[in-house]
Coordinates of all heavy atoms in Angstrom, one line a residue:
K99 N -40.5 -60.3 -137.9 CA -40.1 -61.7 -138.4 C -38.8 -61.6 -139.1 O -37.9 -62.4 -138.9 CB -41.2 -62.2 -139.3 CG -42.5 -62.6 -138.7 CD -43.4 -63.2 -139.7 CE -44.7 -63.5 -139.0 NZ -45.7 -64.1 -139.9
Q100 N -38.6 -60.6 -139.9 CA -37.3 -60.4 -140.6 C -36.2 -60.2 -139.7 O -35.1 -60.7 -139.9 CB -37.5 -59.3 -141.7 CG -38.5 -59.6 -142.8 CD -38.7 -58.4 -143.6 OE1 -38.3 -57.3 -143.3 NE2 -39.3 -58.6 -144.8
W101 N -36.4 -59.4 -138.7 CA -35.4 -59.1 -137.8 C -34.9 -60.4 -137.1 O -33.7 -60.7 -137.0 CB -35.8 -58.1 -136.7 CG -34.7 -57.7 -135.8 CD1 -33.8 -56.6 -136.0 CD2 -34.2 -58.4 -134.6 NE1 -32.9 -56.5 -135.0 CE2 -33.0 -57.6 -134.2 CE3 -34.5 -59.5 -134.0 CZ2 -32.2 -58.0 -133.1 CZ3 -33.7 -59.9 -132.9 CH2 -32.7 -59.1 -132.5
Y102 N -35.8 -61.3 -136.6 CA -35.5 -62.5 -136.0 C -34.7 -63.4 -137.0 O -33.7 -64.1 -136.6 CB -36.8 -63.2 -135.5 CG -36.5 -64.5 -134.8 CD1 -35.8 -64.6 -133.7 CD2 -36.9 -65.7 -135.5 CE1 -35.6 -65.8 -133.0 CE2 -36.7 -66.9 -134.8 CZ -36.0 -67.0 -133.6 OH -35.7 -68.1 -133.0
Q103 N -35.1 -63.5 -138.2 CA -34.5 -64.3 -139.2 C -33.1 -63.8 -139.4 O -32.1 -64.7 -139.4 CB -35.2 -64.3 -140.6 CG -36.5 -65.1 -140.5 CD -37.3 -64.8 -141.8 OE1 -37.4 -63.7 -142.3 NE2 -37.8 -65.9 -142.3
R104 N -32.8 -62.5 -139.5 CA -31.5 -62.0 -139.7 C -30.6 -62.3 -138.5 O -29.5 -62.6 -138.6 CB -31.5 -60.5 -140.0 CG -32.0 -60.1 -141.3 CD -31.7 -58.7 -141.6 NE -32.2 -57.7 -140.6 CZ -33.4 -57.1 -140.6 NH1 -34.2 -57.4 -141.5 NH2 -33.8 -56.3 -139.6
R105 N -31.1 -62.2 -137.3 CA -30.4 -62.4 -136.0 C -30.0 -63.8 -135.9 O -28.9 -64.1 -135.5 CB -31.3 -61.9 -134.8 CG -30.6 -62.2 -133.5 CD -29.3 -61.4 -133.4 NE -28.8 -61.7 -132.0 CZ -27.8 -62.6 -131.9 NH1 -27.4 -63.3 -132.9 NH2 -27.3 -62.8 -130.7
V106 N -30.8 -64.7 -136.3 CA -30.5 -66.2 -136.1 C -29.4 -66.6 -137.1 O -28.6 -67.5 -136.8 CB -31.8 -67.0 -136.2 CG1 -31.4 -68.5 -136.3 CG2 -32.7 -66.8 -135.0
R107 N -29.4 -65.9 -138.3 CA -28.4 -66.3 -139.3 C -27.0 -66.1 -138.8 O -26.1 -66.9 -139.2 CB -28.7 -65.5 -140.6 CG -29.8 -65.9 -141.4 CD -29.9 -65.3 -142.7 NE -31.1 -65.6 -143.3 CZ -32.1 -64.8 -143.6 NH1 -31.9 -63.4 -143.4 NH2 -33.2 -65.1 -144.2
G108 N -26.8 -65.3 -137.8 CA -25.5 -65.1 -137.3 C -25.2 -66.1 -136.1 O -24.1 -66.0 -135.6
A109 N -26.1 -66.8 -135.7 CA -26.0 -67.8 -134.7 C -25.3 -69.1 -135.1 O -25.0 -69.3 -136.3 CB -27.3 -68.1 -134.0
Q110 N -25.1 -70.0 -134.1 CA -24.4 -71.2 -134.5 C -25.1 -72.1 -135.4 O -24.5 -72.7 -136.3 CB -24.0 -72.0 -133.1 CG -25.4 -72.1 -132.3 CD -25.1 -72.8 -131.0 OE1 -24.2 -73.7 -131.0 NE2 -25.7 -72.3 -129.9
N111 N -26.4 -72.4 -135.3 CA -27.2 -73.1 -136.1 C -28.0 -72.2 -137.0 O -29.0 -71.7 -136.5 CB -28.0 -74.1 -135.3 CG -28.9 -75.1 -136.2 OD1 -29.0 -74.8 -137.4 ND2 -29.7 -75.8 -135.6
K112 N -27.7 -72.1 -138.3 CA -28.4 -71.1 -139.1 C -29.8 -71.5 -139.6 O -30.5 -70.7 -140.1 CB -27.4 -70.8 -140.3 CG -26.1 -70.2 -139.9 CD -25.2 -70.0 -141.1 CE -23.9 -69.6 -140.8 NZ -23.6 -68.7 -139.8
K113 N -30.1 -72.7 -139.4 CA -31.5 -73.2 -139.8 C -32.5 -72.9 -138.9 O -32.5 -73.0 -137.7 CB -31.5 -74.8 -140.0 CG -32.7 -75.3 -140.6 CD -32.5 -76.8 -140.9 CE -33.6 -77.4 -141.7 NZ -35.0 -77.2 -141.4
L114 N -33.6 -72.1 -139.5 CA -34.7 -71.8 -138.7 C -35.8 -72.9 -139.1 O -36.0 -73.3 -140.2 CB -35.3 -70.5 -139.2 CG -34.5 -69.3 -138.6 CD1 -35.2 -68.0 -139.2 CD2 -34.7 -69.2 -137.1
V115 N -36.5 -73.2 -138.1 CA -37.6 -74.2 -138.3 C -39.0 -73.3 -138.3 O -39.3 -72.6 -137.4 CB -37.8 -75.2 -137.2 CG1 -38.9 -76.2 -137.3 CG2 -36.4 -76.0 -137.0
D116 N -39.6 -73.4 -139.5 CA -40.9 -72.6 -139.6 C -42.0 -73.4 -139.0 O -42.2 -74.5 -139.2 CB -41.2 -72.5 -141.1 CG -42.2 -71.5 -141.4 OD1 -43.1 -71.3 -140.5 OD2 -42.3 -71.1 -142.6
T117 N -42.7 -72.7 -138.0 CA -43.8 -73.4 -137.3 C -45.2 -73.1 -137.8 O -46.2 -73.3 -137.1 CB -43.8 -73.1 -135.7 OG1 -43.9 -71.7 -135.6 CG2 -42.4 -73.6 -135.2
R118 N -45.2 -72.5 -139.0 CA -46.5 -72.1 -139.6 C -47.3 -73.3 -140.1 O -48.5 -73.4 -140.0 CB -46.4 -71.1 -140.8 CG -46.1 -69.7 -140.2 CD -45.8 -68.7 -141.4 NE -44.6 -69.2 -142.1 CZ -44.1 -68.5 -143.0 NH1 -44.6 -67.3 -143.4 NH2 -42.9 -68.9 -143.6
Q119 N -46.6 -74.3 -140.6 CA -47.3 -75.5 -141.2 C -47.6 -76.6 -140.1 O -48.6 -77.2 -140.1 CB -46.4 -76.1 -142.3 CG -46.0 -75.2 -143.3 CD -47.1 -74.5 -144.0 OE1 -48.2 -75.1 -144.3 NE2 -47.0 -73.2 -144.4
K120 N -46.6 -76.8 -139.2 CA -46.8 -77.8 -138.1 C -46.6 -77.1 -136.8 O -46.0 -76.0 -136.7 CB -45.7 -78.8 -138.2 CG -45.7 -79.6 -139.5 CD -44.8 -80.9 -139.5 CE -43.4 -80.5 -139.6 NZ -42.4 -81.6 -139.6
S121 N -47.1 -77.6 -135.7 CA -47.0 -77.1 -134.4 C -45.5 -77.1 -134.0 O -44.7 -77.9 -134.6 CB -47.9 -77.8 -133.4 OG -47.3 -79.1 -133.3
L122 N -45.2 -76.3 -133.0 CA -43.8 -76.3 -132.5 C -43.4 -77.7 -132.1 O -42.3 -78.1 -132.3 CB -43.7 -75.3 -131.4 CG -42.4 -75.2 -130.7 CD1 -41.3 -74.7 -131.7 CD2 -42.5 -74.2 -129.6
R123 N -44.3 -78.3 -131.3 CA -44.0 -79.7 -130.8 C -43.7 -80.6 -132.0 O -42.8 -81.5 -131.7 CB -45.2 -80.2 -130.1 CG -44.9 -81.5 -129.3 CD -46.1 -81.7 -128.4 NE -45.6 -81.9 -127.1 CZ -46.3 -82.2 -126.0 NH1 -47.5 -82.1 -126.0 NH2 -45.7 -82.5 -124.9
K124 N -44.3 -80.5 -133.1 CA -44.0 -81.4 -134.2 C -42.9 -81.0 -135.0 O -42.3 -81.7 -135.8 CB -45.3 -81.6 -135.1 CG -46.4 -82.3 -134.3 CD -47.6 -82.4 -135.3 CE -48.8 -83.1 -134.5 NZ -50.0 -83.1 -135.4
S125 N -42.4 -79.7 -134.9 CA -41.4 -79.2 -135.7 C -40.0 -79.3 -135.2 O -39.0 -79.4 -136.0 CB -41.7 -77.7 -135.9 OG -42.9 -77.4 -136.5
V126 N -39.9 -79.4 -133.8 CA -38.6 -79.6 -133.2 C -38.4 -81.0 -132.7 O -39.3 -81.4 -132.0 CB -38.3 -78.5 -132.1 CG1 -37.0 -78.7 -131.4 CG2 -38.5 -77.1 -132.6
P127 N -37.4 -81.6 -133.0 CA -37.2 -83.0 -132.4 C -37.2 -83.0 -130.9 O -36.7 -82.1 -130.2 CB -35.8 -83.4 -133.0 CG -35.6 -82.6 -134.1 CD -36.2 -81.3 -133.9
Q128 N -37.9 -84.0 -130.4 CA -38.0 -84.1 -128.9 C -36.6 -84.2 -128.2 O -35.8 -84.9 -128.7 CB -38.9 -85.3 -128.6 CG -39.2 -85.4 -127.2 CD -40.2 -86.6 -126.8 OE1 -40.6 -87.3 -127.7 NE2 -40.6 -86.7 -125.5
G129 N -36.5 -83.5 -127.1 CA -35.3 -83.6 -126.3 C -34.2 -82.7 -126.7 O -33.2 -82.5 -126.0
L130 N -34.4 -81.9 -127.8 CA -33.4 -80.9 -128.3 C -33.7 -79.5 -127.7 O -34.9 -79.2 -127.6 CB -33.4 -80.8 -129.8 CG -32.7 -81.9 -130.5 CD1 -32.7 -81.7 -132.0 CD2 -31.3 -82.2 -130.1
P131 N -32.8 -78.8 -127.1 CA -33.0 -77.5 -126.7 C -33.4 -76.6 -127.9 O -32.7 -76.7 -128.9 CB -31.8 -77.1 -125.9 CG -30.7 -77.9 -126.5 CD -31.4 -79.2 -127.0
Y132 N -34.2 -75.6 -127.7 CA -34.6 -74.8 -128.7 C -35.0 -73.4 -128.2 O -35.3 -73.2 -127.1 CB -35.7 -75.3 -129.7 CG -37.0 -75.5 -128.9 CD1 -37.9 -74.4 -128.9 CD2 -37.2 -76.6 -128.2 CE1 -39.1 -74.6 -128.2 CE2 -38.5 -76.8 -127.5 CZ -39.4 -75.8 -127.5 OH -40.6 -75.9 -126.9
F133 N -35.0 -72.4 -129.1 CA -35.6 -71.0 -128.8 C -36.6 -70.9 -129.8 O -36.5 -71.1 -131.0 CB -34.5 -70.0 -128.9 CG -35.0 -68.6 -128.5 CD1 -34.9 -68.2 -127.2 CD2 -35.4 -67.7 -129.5 CE1 -35.4 -67.0 -126.8 CE2 -35.9 -66.5 -129.1 CZ -35.9 -66.1 -127.8
S134 N -37.8 -70.3 -129.4 CA -38.9 -70.2 -130.3 C -39.5 -68.8 -130.1 O -39.6 -68.2 -129.1 CB -40.0 -71.2 -129.9 OG -41.1 -71.0 -130.6
V135 N -39.9 -68.3 -131.3 CA -40.7 -67.0 -131.4 C -42.0 -67.2 -132.1 O -41.9 -67.8 -133.3 CB -39.8 -65.9 -132.0 CG1 -40.7 -64.6 -132.1 CG2 -38.6 -65.6 -131.2
E136 N -43.0 -66.9 -131.6 CA -44.4 -67.0 -132.2 C -44.8 -65.6 -132.5 O -44.7 -64.7 -131.8 CB -45.4 -67.8 -131.4 CG -45.0 -69.2 -131.1 CD -45.0 -70.1 -132.3 OE1 -46.0 -70.0 -133.1 OE2 -44.2 -71.1 -132.5
F137 N -45.5 -65.5 -133.7 CA -46.1 -64.2 -134.1 C -47.6 -64.3 -134.1 O -48.2 -64.4 -135.2 CB -45.6 -63.8 -135.5 CG -44.0 -63.8 -135.5 CD1 -43.3 -64.9 -136.1 CD2 -43.4 -62.7 -135.0 CE1 -41.9 -64.8 -136.1 CE2 -42.0 -62.7 -135.1 CZ -41.3 -63.8 -135.6
G138 N -48.1 -64.3 -132.9 CA -49.6 -64.4 -132.8 C -50.1 -65.7 -133.4 O -49.6 -66.8 -133.1
T139 N -51.2 -65.6 -134.3 CA -51.7 -66.8 -134.9 C -51.1 -67.1 -136.2 O -51.4 -68.1 -136.8 CB -53.3 -66.7 -135.1 OG1 -53.5 -65.5 -135.9 CG2 -54.0 -66.4 -133.8
D140 N -50.1 -66.4 -136.6 CA -49.4 -66.6 -137.8 C -48.3 -67.6 -137.8 O -47.5 -67.8 -138.7 CB -48.8 -65.3 -138.4 CG -49.9 -64.3 -138.7 OD1 -51.0 -64.7 -139.0 OD2 -49.6 -63.1 -138.7
G141 N -48.1 -68.3 -136.7 CA -47.0 -69.3 -136.4 C -45.7 -68.5 -136.1 O -45.8 -67.4 -135.7
G142 N -44.6 -69.1 -136.4 CA -43.4 -68.4 -136.0 C -42.2 -69.2 -136.4 O -42.2 -70.0 -137.4
F143 N -41.1 -69.1 -135.7 CA -39.8 -69.8 -136.0 C -39.3 -70.4 -134.7 O -39.4 -69.8 -133.7 CB -38.8 -68.9 -136.6 CG -39.2 -68.3 -137.9 CD1 -39.7 -67.0 -138.0 CD2 -39.2 -69.1 -139.0 CE1 -40.1 -66.4 -139.1 CE2 -39.7 -68.5 -140.3 CZ -40.1 -67.1 -140.3
A144 N -38.6 -71.5 -134.9 CA -37.9 -72.1 -133.8 C -36.4 -72.2 -134.3 O -36.1 -72.4 -135.4 CB -38.4 -73.5 -133.4
H145 N -35.5 -72.2 -133.3 CA -34.1 -72.2 -133.6 C -33.5 -73.3 -132.6 O -33.6 -73.2 -131.4 CB -33.5 -70.9 -133.3 CG -31.9 -70.9 -133.3 ND1 -31.2 -71.1 -134.4 CD2 -31.1 -70.7 -132.2 CE1 -29.9 -71.0 -134.1 NE2 -29.8 -70.8 -132.7
V146 N -33.0 -74.4 -133.2 CA -32.5 -75.5 -132.4 C -31.1 -75.1 -131.9 O -30.3 -74.6 -132.7 CB -32.5 -76.8 -133.3 CG1 -31.7 -77.9 -132.4 CG2 -33.8 -77.2 -133.7
I147 N -30.9 -75.3 -130.6 CA -29.7 -74.9 -130.0 C -28.8 -76.1 -130.0 O -29.0 -77.0 -129.2 CB -29.9 -74.4 -128.6 CG1 -30.8 -73.1 -128.6 CG2 -28.6 -74.0 -127.9 CD1 -31.2 -72.7 -127.3
E148 N -27.8 -76.1 -130.8 CA -26.8 -77.3 -130.9 C -25.9 -77.3 -129.7 O -25.6 -78.4 -129.2 CB -26.2 -77.2 -132.2 CG -27.0 -77.4 -133.4 CD -26.3 -77.4 -134.7 OE1 -25.1 -76.9 -134.7 OE2 -26.9 -77.8 -135.7
E149 N -25.3 -76.2 -129.4 CA -24.3 -76.2 -128.3 C -24.7 -75.2 -127.2 O -24.5 -74.0 -127.3 CB -23.0 -75.8 -128.9 CG -21.8 -76.0 -128.0 CD -21.5 -77.5 -127.7 OE1 -21.6 -78.3 -128.6 OE2 -21.2 -77.7 -126.5
E150 N -25.3 -75.7 -126.2 CA -25.9 -74.8 -125.2 C -24.9 -74.0 -124.5 O -25.1 -72.8 -124.2 CB -26.6 -75.6 -124.1 CG -27.9 -76.2 -124.6 CD -28.7 -77.0 -123.5 OE1 -29.2 -76.2 -122.6 OE2 -28.6 -78.1 -123.5
S151 N -23.6 -74.4 -124.4 CA -22.6 -73.6 -123.7 C -22.2 -72.3 -124.6 O -21.7 -71.4 -124.0 CB -21.4 -74.4 -123.4 OG -20.8 -74.9 -124.6
L152 N -22.5 -72.4 -125.9 CA -22.2 -71.3 -126.8 C -23.3 -70.4 -127.0 O -23.2 -69.3 -127.5 CB -21.6 -71.8 -128.1 CG -20.4 -72.7 -128.1 CD1 -20.1 -73.2 -129.4 CD2 -19.2 -71.9 -127.5
F153 N -24.5 -70.8 -126.5 CA -25.7 -70.0 -126.8 C -25.7 -68.8 -125.8 O -25.6 -69.0 -124.6 CB -26.9 -70.9 -126.5 CG -28.2 -70.3 -127.0 CD1 -28.5 -70.2 -128.3 CD2 -29.2 -69.8 -126.1 CE1 -29.6 -69.7 -128.8 CE2 -30.3 -69.2 -126.5 CZ -30.6 -69.1 -127.9
Q154 N -25.9 -67.6 -126.4 CA -25.9 -66.4 -125.6 C -27.1 -66.3 -124.7 O -28.2 -66.4 -125.1 CB -25.8 -65.2 -126.5 CG -24.6 -65.2 -127.4 CD -24.8 -64.2 -128.5 OE1 -25.8 -63.7 -128.8 NE2 -23.7 -63.8 -129.1
R155 N -26.9 -66.1 -123.4 CA -27.9 -66.1 -122.5 C -28.9 -64.9 -122.7 O -30.1 -64.9 -122.3 CB -27.4 -65.9 -121.0 CG -26.6 -64.7 -120.7 CD -26.1 -64.7 -119.3 NE -25.3 -63.5 -119.0 CZ -25.8 -62.4 -118.7 NH1 -27.1 -62.1 -118.7 NH2 -25.0 -61.4 -118.5
Y156 N -28.4 -63.8 -123.4 CA -29.3 -62.7 -123.7 C -30.0 -62.7 -125.0 O -30.5 -61.7 -125.5 CB -28.5 -61.4 -123.5 CG -27.2 -61.4 -124.2 CD1 -27.2 -61.1 -125.5 CD2 -26.0 -61.6 -123.6 CE1 -26.0 -61.0 -126.2 CE2 -24.8 -61.7 -124.2 CZ -24.8 -61.3 -125.6 OH -23.6 -61.3 -126.2
F157 N -29.9 -63.9 -125.7 CA -30.4 -64.0 -127.0 C -32.0 -63.6 -127.1 O -32.4 -62.8 -128.0 CB -30.3 -65.4 -127.6 CG -30.7 -65.6 -129.0 CD1 -30.0 -65.2 -130.1 CD2 -32.0 -66.2 -129.3 CE1 -30.4 -65.4 -131.4 CE2 -32.4 -66.4 -130.5 CZ -31.7 -65.9 -131.6
G158 N -32.7 -64.1 -126.2 CA -34.2 -63.7 -126.1 C -34.4 -62.2 -126.0 O -35.2 -61.6 -126.6
L159 N -33.5 -61.6 -125.1 CA -33.6 -60.1 -125.0 C -33.3 -59.4 -126.2 O -33.9 -58.3 -126.6 CB -32.7 -59.7 -123.8 CG -33.1 -60.1 -122.5 CD1 -32.0 -59.8 -121.4 CD2 -34.5 -59.5 -122.0
E160 N -32.3 -59.9 -127.0 CA -31.9 -59.3 -128.3 C -33.1 -59.5 -129.3 O -33.4 -58.4 -129.9 CB -30.7 -60.0 -128.9 CG -29.5 -59.5 -128.2 CD -28.2 -60.1 -129.0 OE1 -28.4 -61.0 -129.9 OE2 -27.1 -59.6 -128.7
V161 N -33.8 -60.5 -129.3 CA -34.9 -60.7 -130.2 C -36.0 -59.7 -129.9 O -36.6 -59.0 -130.6 CB -35.4 -62.2 -130.1 CG1 -36.8 -62.3 -130.8 CG2 -34.4 -63.1 -130.7
L162 N -36.3 -59.7 -128.5 CA -37.4 -58.7 -128.1 C -37.0 -57.3 -128.3 O -37.9 -56.5 -128.8 CB -37.7 -59.0 -126.6 CG -38.8 -58.2 -126.0 CD1 -40.2 -58.4 -126.7 CD2 -39.0 -58.5 -124.5
G163 N -35.8 -57.0 -128.0 CA -35.3 -55.6 -128.2 C -35.3 -55.2 -129.7 O -35.7 -54.1 -130.1
G164 N -35.0 -56.2 -130.6 CA -35.1 -55.9 -132.0 C -36.5 -55.7 -132.5 O -36.8 -54.9 -133.4
V165 N -37.4 -56.5 -132.0 CA -38.8 -56.4 -132.4 C -39.4 -55.0 -132.0 O -40.1 -54.4 -132.8 CB -39.6 -57.6 -131.7 CG1 -41.1 -57.3 -132.0 CG2 -39.2 -58.9 -132.3
I166 N -39.1 -54.6 -130.8 CA -39.6 -53.3 -130.4 C -38.6 -52.1 -130.7 O -38.9 -51.0 -130.3 CB -40.0 -53.3 -128.9 CG1 -38.8 -53.5 -128.0 CG2 -41.0 -54.3 -128.6 CD1 -39.0 -53.3 -126.5
E167 N -37.6 -52.4 -131.5 CA -36.7 -51.4 -131.9 C -36.1 -50.6 -130.6 O -36.0 -49.4 -130.7 CB -37.2 -50.4 -132.9 CG -37.6 -51.2 -134.1 CD -38.3 -50.3 -135.2 OE1 -38.6 -49.2 -134.9 OE2 -38.6 -50.8 -136.3
C168 N -35.6 -51.3 -129.7 CA -35.1 -50.8 -128.4 C -33.6 -50.7 -128.5 O -32.9 -51.6 -129.0 CB -35.6 -51.7 -127.3 SG -34.9 -51.3 -125.7
D169 N -33.0 -49.7 -127.9 CA -31.6 -49.5 -127.8 C -31.0 -50.6 -127.0 O -31.5 -50.9 -125.9 CB -31.3 -48.1 -127.3 CG -29.8 -47.9 -127.1 OD1 -29.0 -48.5 -127.9 OD2 -29.4 -47.2 -126.2
V170 N -30.0 -51.2 -127.4 CA -29.4 -52.3 -126.7 C -29.0 -52.0 -125.4 O -29.0 -52.9 -124.5 CB -28.2 -52.9 -127.6 CG1 -27.0 -52.0 -127.7 CG2 -27.8 -54.3 -127.1
N171 N -28.6 -50.9 -125.1 CA -28.1 -50.4 -123.8 C -29.2 -50.4 -122.7 O -28.9 -50.6 -121.6 CB -27.4 -49.1 -123.8 CG -26.1 -49.1 -124.5 OD1 -25.3 -50.1 -124.4 ND2 -25.8 -48.2 -125.4
L172 N -30.5 -50.3 -123.1 CA -31.6 -50.3 -122.2 C -31.7 -51.7 -121.5 O -32.1 -51.7 -120.3 CB -32.9 -49.9 -122.8 CG -33.0 -48.5 -123.4 CD1 -34.3 -48.3 -124.1 CD2 -33.0 -47.6 -122.1
W173 N -31.4 -52.7 -122.1 CA -31.6 -54.0 -121.5 C -30.3 -54.7 -121.2 O -30.2 -55.5 -120.3 CB -32.5 -54.9 -122.3 CG -32.1 -55.1 -123.8 CD1 -32.5 -54.4 -124.8 CD2 -31.1 -56.1 -124.2 NE1 -31.9 -54.8 -126.0 CE2 -31.0 -55.9 -125.6 CE3 -30.3 -57.0 -123.6 CZ2 -30.2 -56.6 -126.5 CZ3 -29.4 -57.7 -124.5 CH2 -29.4 -57.5 -125.8
R174 N -29.2 -54.3 -121.9 CA -28.0 -55.0 -121.6 C -27.2 -54.5 -120.4 O -26.5 -55.1 -119.7 CB -27.1 -55.1 -123.0 CG -26.1 -56.2 -122.9 CD -25.2 -56.2 -124.1 NE -25.6 -57.2 -125.0 CZ -25.1 -57.5 -126.2 NH1 -24.0 -56.8 -126.5 NH2 -25.5 -58.4 -127.0
N175 N -27.2 -53.1 -120.4 CA -26.6 -52.4 -119.3 C -27.5 -51.4 -118.7 O -27.3 -50.2 -118.8 CB -25.3 -51.7 -119.8 CG -24.3 -52.6 -120.4 OD1 -24.0 -53.6 -119.8 ND2 -23.8 -52.3 -121.5
P176 N -28.5 -51.9 -118.0 CA -29.5 -51.0 -117.4 C -28.9 -50.1 -116.3 O -28.0 -50.5 -115.6 CB -30.6 -51.8 -116.9 CG -30.0 -53.2 -116.6 CD -28.9 -53.3 -117.7
E177 N -29.4 -48.9 -116.2 CA -29.0 -48.1 -115.1 C -29.5 -48.6 -113.8 O -30.5 -49.2 -113.7 CB -29.5 -46.6 -115.2 CG -28.9 -45.9 -116.4 CD -29.5 -44.5 -116.6 OE1 -30.0 -43.9 -115.6 OE2 -29.4 -43.9 -117.7
K178 N -28.6 -48.4 -112.7 CA -29.0 -48.9 -111.4 C -30.1 -48.0 -110.8 O -30.1 -46.8 -111.0 CB -27.8 -48.8 -110.4 CG -26.6 -49.6 -110.8 CD -26.9 -51.1 -110.6 CE -25.7 -51.9 -111.0 NZ -25.9 -53.2 -111.3
E179 N -31.1 -48.7 -110.2 CA -32.2 -47.9 -109.7 C -31.8 -47.5 -108.2 O -31.1 -48.1 -107.5 CB -33.4 -48.9 -109.5 CG -34.0 -49.4 -110.7 CD -35.2 -48.6 -111.2 OE1 -35.5 -47.5 -110.6 OE2 -35.8 -48.9 -112.2
T180 N -32.3 -46.3 -107.9 CA -32.1 -45.8 -106.5 C -33.2 -46.4 -105.7 O -34.2 -46.8 -106.1 CB -32.2 -44.2 -106.5 OG1 -33.4 -43.8 -106.8 CG2 -31.1 -43.6 -107.4
S181 N -32.9 -46.4 -104.4 CA -34.0 -46.9 -103.4 C -35.2 -46.0 -103.5 O -36.4 -46.5 -103.3 CB -33.5 -47.1 -102.1 OG -33.0 -45.8 -101.5
E182 N -35.0 -44.7 -103.7 CA -36.2 -43.8 -103.7 C -37.0 -44.1 -104.9 O -38.2 -44.1 -104.9 CB -35.6 -42.3 -103.7 CG -35.0 -41.9 -102.4 CD -33.6 -42.3 -102.3 OE1 -32.9 -42.6 -103.3 OE2 -33.1 -42.4 -101.1
G183 N -36.3 -44.3 -106.0 CA -37.0 -44.6 -107.3 C -37.8 -45.9 -107.2 O -39.0 -46.1 -107.7
L184 N -37.3 -47.0 -106.5 CA -37.9 -48.2 -106.3 C -39.1 -48.0 -105.4 O -40.2 -48.6 -105.6 CB -37.0 -49.3 -105.8 CG -35.9 -49.8 -106.8 CD1 -34.9 -50.7 -106.1 CD2 -36.6 -50.5 -108.0
K185 N -39.0 -47.3 -104.4 CA -40.1 -47.0 -103.4 C -41.3 -46.3 -104.2 O -42.4 -46.6 -104.0 CB -39.6 -46.1 -102.2 CG -38.8 -46.9 -101.3 CD -38.3 -46.1 -100.2 CE -37.3 -46.8 -99.3 NZ -36.8 -45.9 -98.2
Y186 N -40.9 -45.4 -105.0 CA -41.9 -44.7 -105.8 C -42.7 -45.6 -106.7 O -43.9 -45.6 -106.8 CB -41.3 -43.5 -106.6 CG -42.3 -42.8 -107.5 CD1 -43.2 -42.0 -107.0 CD2 -42.3 -43.1 -108.8 CE1 -44.1 -41.3 -107.8 CE2 -43.2 -42.5 -109.7 CZ -44.1 -41.5 -109.2 OH -45.0 -41.0 -110.0
K187 N -41.9 -46.5 -107.4 CA -42.6 -47.4 -108.3 C -43.5 -48.4 -107.6 O -44.6 -48.7 -108.0 CB -41.5 -48.2 -109.1 CG -40.8 -47.4 -110.2 CD -39.8 -48.3 -111.0 CE -39.2 -47.5 -112.1 NZ -38.3 -48.3 -112.8
K188 N -43.0 -48.8 -106.4 CA -43.8 -49.7 -105.5 C -45.1 -49.0 -105.1 O -46.1 -49.6 -105.1 CB -43.0 -50.1 -104.2 CG -43.8 -51.0 -103.3 CD -42.9 -51.3 -102.1 CE -43.8 -52.1 -101.1 NZ -43.0 -52.3 -99.9
K189 N -45.0 -47.7 -104.8 CA -46.2 -46.9 -104.4 C -47.2 -46.8 -105.5 O -48.3 -47.1 -105.4 CB -45.7 -45.6 -103.9 CG -46.8 -44.7 -103.4 CD -46.3 -43.3 -102.9 CE -47.4 -42.4 -102.6 NZ -46.9 -41.1 -102.2
V190 N -46.7 -46.5 -106.7 CA -47.5 -46.4 -107.9 C -48.2 -47.7 -108.2 O -49.3 -47.8 -108.6 CB -46.7 -45.8 -109.1 CG1 -47.5 -45.8 -110.4 CG2 -46.3 -44.3 -108.7
F191 N -47.3 -48.8 -108.2 CA -47.8 -50.1 -108.6 C -48.9 -50.5 -107.6 O -50.0 -51.2 -108.0 CB -46.7 -51.0 -108.7 CG -47.1 -52.4 -109.1 CD1 -47.3 -52.7 -110.4 CD2 -47.3 -53.5 -108.2 CE1 -47.8 -53.9 -110.9 CE2 -47.7 -54.7 -108.6 CZ -47.9 -54.9 -110.0
G192 N -48.7 -50.2 -106.3 CA -49.7 -50.6 -105.3 C -51.1 -49.9 -105.6 O -52.1 -50.5 -105.1
K193 N -51.1 -48.8 -106.1 CA -52.3 -48.1 -106.4 C -53.1 -48.6 -107.6 O -54.2 -48.2 -107.8 CB -52.0 -46.5 -106.6 CG -51.6 -45.9 -105.3 CD -51.4 -44.4 -105.5 CE -50.9 -43.8 -104.1 NZ -50.7 -42.3 -104.4
L194 N -52.5 -49.3 -108.4 CA -53.1 -49.9 -109.6 C -54.1 -50.9 -109.2 O -54.0 -51.7 -108.4 CB -52.1 -50.6 -110.6 CG -51.0 -49.7 -111.2 CD1 -50.1 -50.6 -112.0 CD2 -51.6 -48.7 -112.1
S195 N -55.2 -50.8 -109.9 CA -56.3 -51.8 -109.7 C -56.3 -52.7 -110.8 O -56.7 -52.4 -111.9 CB -57.6 -51.0 -109.5 OG -58.7 -52.0 -109.4
I196 N -55.9 -53.9 -110.6 CA -55.8 -54.9 -111.7 C -56.8 -56.0 -111.4 O -56.7 -56.6 -110.3 CB -54.3 -55.5 -111.8 CG1 -53.4 -54.4 -112.1 CG2 -54.3 -56.5 -112.9 CD1 -51.9 -54.8 -112.1
D197 N -57.7 -56.3 -112.3 CA -58.7 -57.3 -112.2 C -58.1 -58.6 -112.9 O -58.0 -58.6 -114.1 CB -60.0 -56.9 -112.7 CG -61.1 -57.9 -112.7 OD1 -60.9 -58.9 -111.8 OD2 -62.1 -57.8 -113.3
F198 N -57.8 -59.6 -112.2 CA -57.4 -60.8 -112.8 C -58.5 -61.9 -112.9 O -58.3 -63.1 -113.0 CB -56.3 -61.5 -111.8 CG -55.0 -60.6 -111.9 CD1 -54.6 -59.9 -110.9 CD2 -54.2 -60.7 -113.0 CE1 -53.4 -59.1 -110.9 CE2 -53.0 -60.0 -113.1 CZ -52.6 -59.1 -112.0
G199 N -59.8 -61.4 -112.8 CA -60.9 -62.3 -113.0 C -61.3 -63.1 -111.8 O -61.9 -64.2 -112.0
N200 N -60.8 -62.7 -110.7 CA -61.2 -63.5 -109.5 C -62.5 -63.1 -108.9 O -63.0 -62.1 -108.9 CB -60.1 -63.3 -108.4 CG -58.8 -63.9 -108.8 OD1 -58.8 -64.7 -109.7 ND2 -57.7 -63.4 -108.3

């Protein structure tokens, strides 16, 4: 939560909307673009985007990367996958048995 608060303070609209008291729908005015992070059942924060053209497209990735303490280069400049590596991942993924409740 603290990382997200610090990250948003550097953004264009410094005000965070706390969604712990009211739902997200009641916290952000209808029709305004926003970015929201929820922390399980503890509520979260919303950030109203005032100028969409200035909003960084990778903002959500920065938030997620900060939460999991991930190096920025892992998601901002990922290494190119080789076709052999992708084939291997496909093979391994195909062997997974995932029950989706069907």
